[in-house]
Amino acid sequence: MERKEPAWINLNVSDIRITWISKDGTVIFDNESQAEIMENHLERPEIKAAMETGYGESIRNSSTLFQKQVYYAKLLKDGSVVRVSENQMMAISLFLGLIQPIGFAIVIILIMAFVIASSVSKKIVEPINNINLDNPQETKTYSELQPLLTRLSFQQLHLKKDKEELKKTEQIRQEFTANVSHELKTPLHAISGYAELIQRGLVAEEDIKPFASKIYDESIRLNQVVEDVIDLSRLDAGALNLSGEETDLYWVAENAIQSLESFSQEKGVKLTLSGEHAVFNGVTNLLYSIVYNLCDNAIKYNHKGGEVKVNVRNDEKEVLLTVTDTGIGIPEEHLARIFERFYRVDKSHSKEVGGTGLGLSIVKHAVSIQKGEIKVSSDVGEGTTFTVTFPKA
């Protein structure tokens, strides 16, 4: 009697494998392979379990395909077994299968992020790139950049001032160099000229002494210019970090006047000192230079029979030095510039009296180093008064 095939054998299935096994393990039917060539399935774990208990199942993994095969077996009434199996993807297989779409999605996201970030950053940076560095406050931008614009404007203002100061300093340096060269060349030319005439025997015997006297005078003038330039250079460097000490300005003024006494008598100018002792923290050498230069100028630019009065006053918070003369005076338009280096109100008269044009510059620097203040008032033809104030504290 022939075995009748069950109805499920003709089912149209593609993703499920169906196998029919006889009770002796022979494959009767398989929807994916030829039953005749298939091996005996009696030792398969799911078949053994079905024949013993009526139902069996097992799972077998494929290490090469990253898949697992799930088997379900059911014992039929005639002792045969129907087995159903399907392939299931393992986790690693699912992951590997998703790598390509995930990678593609990541690339798309990165491209979109780059485009969006470039567009946004361009919009953010554009106002910064358009800042007018010469005049930052004129730049139209968002409010968050306003502190930056204010800072840039402040720095630009300081930079402009620094450039102006640098330019002014460079101009002063060039003028100073030119003036020093001129002041040094003048006595040198005179000395070399007189010496050459004497050397060639072109000077009469009775004129040699006057020529020698002129050479001596010019050498004194040359030495004075050099000393004044050296003093001024030291003051520019902060007077070599000189420290103050308890100093009596009246005593300093008395010493300076004694040094100038013979010079004032020679010029026919009366030089007097009045006031009181005034002790404060000062640099003695600089104070002496201040008094000496102010008095020296007052004598040089005075009339014969004129007078120079020096007064020292000791107040509660400050010490005052006043130098008043009855000389030629200074026109008002020159008062603001008299402390400039080599500046002369009357060049012809300055040449006669032998001034270097550096005395008042030295005074100005020395007063500044000691935190003092100097003021000047003058009437043409009547005289000039210099007032120097030193703080006690």
Side-chain angles (χ1 to χ4, degrees), residues 134 156-170:
D134 292 329
Q156 192 70 17
L157 181 62
H158 275 270
L159 183 61
K160 186 177 180 181
K161 288 182 179 178
D162 289 343
K163 286 181 178 179
E164 291 176 354
E165 287 293 328
L166 186 62
K167 186 177 179 180
K168 185 178 179 181
T169 302
E170 180 63 20

Side-chain angles (χ1 to χ4, degrees), residues 125-264:
V125 174
E126 186 176 6
I128 299 176
N129 291 333
N130 293 333
I131 291 176
N132 181 0
L133 295 178
D134 292 329
N135 198 343
Q137 294 291 5
E138 288 186 354
T139 305
K140 294 181 180 179
T141 183
Y142 37 86
S143 57
E144 287 80 3
L145 274 181
Q146 193 57 44
L148 174 63
L149 297 180
T150 303
R151 180 77 177 181
L152 286 175
S153 180
F154 180 76
Q155 291 180 345
Q156 192 70 17
L157 181 62
H158 275 270
L159 183 61
K160 186 177 180 181
K161 288 182 179 178
D162 289 343
K163 286 181 178 179
E164 291 176 354
E165 287 293 328
L166 186 62
K167 186 177 179 180
K168 185 178 179 181
T169 302
E170 180 63 20
Q171 184 178 356
I172 292 173
R173 186 190 67 79
Q174 291 176 354
E175 290 178 356
F176 179 71
T177 303
N179 286 329
V180 168
S181 299
H182 174 74
E183 292 295 331
L184 293 176
K185 284 179 181 179
T186 302
L188 281 174
H189 285 163
I191 291 171
S192 62
Y194 291 137
E196 184 180 3
L197 290 174
I198 295 173
Q199 182 188 31
R200 292 185 177 184
L202 300 177
V203 181
E205 185 71 27
E206 63 273 14
D207 293 330
I208 291 178
K209 189 174 180 179
F211 271 49
S213 177
K214 290 180 180 180
I215 291 174
Y216 175 78
D217 291 341
E218 292 296 336
S219 65
I220 293 297
R221 180 184 173 191
L222 180 62
N223 185 63
Q224 188 177 355
V225 172
V226 172
E227 287 182 355
D228 285 351
V229 170
I230 291 173
D231 289 343
L232 201 55
S233 298
R234 287 176 177 172
L235 292 174
D236 283 337
L240 300 178
N241 297 321
L242 292 174
S243 57
E245 57 183 357
E246 290 296 311
T247 305
D248 186 347
L249 183 58
Y250 187 89
W251 176 83
V252 172
E254 192 173 40
N255 277 271
I257 288 173
Q258 287 176 359
S259 299
L260 288 166
E261 191 171 354
S262 60
F263 178 58
S264 64

Side-chain angles (χ1 to χ4, degrees), residues 302-318:
N302 214 317
H303 304 290
K304 190 171 184 178
E307 189 175 3
V308 176
K309 295 180 180 179
V310 180
N311 179 263
V312 177
R313 193 169 79 237
N314 186 22
D315 286 351
E316 184 178 351
K317 295 182 178 180
E318 58 189 12

Side-chain angles (χ1 to χ4, degrees), residues 280-314:
F280 72 108
N281 189 34
V283 182
T284 304
N285 290 342
L286 296 185
L287 292 173
Y288 179 88
S289 178
I290 292 169
V291 179
Y292 186 93
N293 278 287
L294 288 177
C295 292
D296 184 61
N297 268 10
I299 296 169
K300 286 177 181 176
Y301 297 98
N302 214 317
H303 304 290
K304 190 171 184 178
E307 189 175 3
V308 176
K309 295 180 180 179
V310 180
N311 179 263
V312 177
R313 193 169 79 237
N314 186 22

